[in-house]
């Protein structure tokens, strides 16, 4: 599973919630807690390699740094709720997938309670009420999920600081060697653990970040392809085109011509 650390999500310090239809998201992870509740239709969810097809009456919870992805048909409808850890209060030390056997809930009472609380938040609950509803949601989750007999190994051996560093410096001449040196990891250990944790080599992950940044710049239409490729860390325009073709199966122009802004893999 290829996954991406969402640095942009880390910058959001408020609760994000709403109703969506037919949305899909590639594997990603962040410190925030992310809940998806199915109102109608189906939603394919994968959290830490555990995949489920959820239907009305079910929901998923991705805890901090859990790798998660979603795929839903156009006729599906869901509530989503993304909670920064600053809103979790005394619940925070307990909110980890290592303490539970699953990240999915199909209990009707829990579903109804969480659905009602999210609806109140969406409808514009004031600051105090919003915090209260969040506590109701988190308390219901902790009461409902089946506990593990022994805590599982933490899903990511990397510190958030290392992941943030990669997101901040991927345009530079970054390598597994410099990363190992900066953070005190053995180079071979870091390389193997990165591959095992995220299902992708560090070099491939770095290329993916650069490609998506190039697409983001091209979408704005202010600069040409060559400038964008070099600006985003590619050593040459030729290496950029080769990497783009391998990742997307077409040229940058073909990709931009056949995908709308909402469909771009950013």
């Amino acid at each position: 599973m290829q996954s991406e650390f969402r640095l942009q999500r880390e910058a959001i310090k408020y609760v994000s919630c709403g109703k969506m239809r037919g949305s899909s998201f590639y594997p990603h992870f962040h410190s925030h807690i992310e809940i998806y509740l199915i109102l109608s239709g189906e939603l394919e969810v994968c959290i830490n390699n555990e995949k489920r097809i959820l239907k009305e009456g079910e929901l998923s919870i991705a805890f901090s740094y859990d790798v998660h992805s979603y795929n839903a048909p156009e006729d599906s409808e869901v509530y989503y709720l993304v909670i920064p850890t600053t809103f979790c209060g005394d619940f925070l030390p307990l909110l980890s997938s290592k303490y539970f056997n699953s990240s999915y809930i199909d209990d009707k009472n829990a579903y109804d309670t969480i659905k009602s609380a999210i609806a109140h938040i969406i409808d514009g609950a004031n600051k105090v009420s919003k915090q209260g509803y969040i506590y109701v949601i988190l308390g219901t989750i902790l009461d409902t999920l089946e506990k593990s007999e022994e805590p599982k190994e933490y899903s990511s051996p990397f510190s958030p600081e290392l992941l943030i560093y990669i997101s901040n410096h991927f345009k530079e001449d970054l390598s597994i060697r410099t990363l190992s040196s900066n953070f005190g990891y053995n180079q071979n250990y870091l390389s193997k653990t990165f591959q095992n944790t995220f299902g992708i080599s560090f070099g491939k992950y770095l290329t993916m970040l650069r490609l998506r940044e190039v697409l983001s710049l091209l979408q704005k239409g202010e600069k040409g392809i060559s400038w964008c490729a070099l600006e985003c860390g590619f050593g040459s325009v030729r290496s950029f085109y080769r990497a783009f073709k391998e990742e997307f199966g077409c040229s940058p122009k073909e990709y931009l011509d056949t995908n709308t802004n909402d469909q771009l893999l950013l």
Side-chain angles (χ1 to χ4, degrees), residues 1 25-30 32 34 45-48 62-63 65-70:
M1 174 188 291
F25 297 93
Y26 279 73
H28 62 283
F29 55 102
H30 43 67
H32 296 29
E34 192 165 317
V45 184
C46 187
I47 301 177
N48 295 334
F63 294 107
Y65 302 110
D66 285 349
V67 176
H68 52 286
S69 62
Y70 308 101

Side-chain angles (χ1 to χ4, degrees), residues 39-194:
L39 298 171
S40 63
E42 296 183 348
L43 176 69
E44 181 184 273
V45 184
C46 187
I47 301 177
N48 295 334
N49 290 323
E50 182 187 0
K51 184 180 292 187
R52 294 276 186 92
I53 303 294
L54 302 186
K55 299 181 180 181
E56 181 181 353
E58 300 177 312
L59 62 126
S60 65
I61 308 99
F63 294 107
S64 293
Y65 302 110
D66 285 349
V67 176
H68 52 286
S69 62
Y70 308 101
N71 186 31
E74 288 298 324
D75 60 351
S76 66
E77 190 172 50
V78 302
Y79 275 159
Y80 70 91
L81 177 67
V82 185
I83 309 171
T85 54
T86 51
F87 283 80
C88 296
D90 294 338
F91 288 102
L92 186 58
L94 303 174
L95 297 172
S96 172
S97 57
K98 69 180 180 180
Y99 295 125
F100 304 103
N101 290 328
S102 177
S103 297
Y104 303 98
I105 289 177
D106 59 6
D107 180 271
K108 184 181 186 307
N109 291 332
Y111 174 89
D112 290 342
T113 298
I114 294 172
K115 177 182 176 182
S116 176
I118 293 177
H120 282 296
I121 296 173
I122 292 173
D123 287 342
N126 62 45
K127 184 177 181 180
V128 175
S129 296
K130 180 186 293 184
Q131 185 68 74
Y133 287 125
I134 290 172
Y135 283 169
V136 167
I137 291 168
L138 297 179
T140 302
I141 288 171
L142 293 177
D143 286 342
T144 307
L145 286 179
E146 182 182 354
K147 309 295 190 300
S148 301
E149 292 185 6
E150 295 183 4
K152 294 176 287 187
E153 290 186 10
Y154 188 57
S155 58
S156 173
F158 304 120
S159 68
E161 290 76 17
L162 181 143
L163 299 171
I164 291 172
Y165 184 89
I166 295 173
S167 292
N168 281 336
H169 296 274
F170 68 87
K171 297 180 183 179
E172 303 170 10
D173 186 19
L174 191 60
S175 68
I176 197 74
R177 176 179 296 178
T178 57
L179 199 62
S180 301
S181 176
N182 288 343
F183 285 87
Y185 286 102
N186 174 276
Q187 183 175 330
N188 289 333
Y189 167 82
L190 181 60
S191 179
K192 291 179 180 179
T193 306
F194 200 99

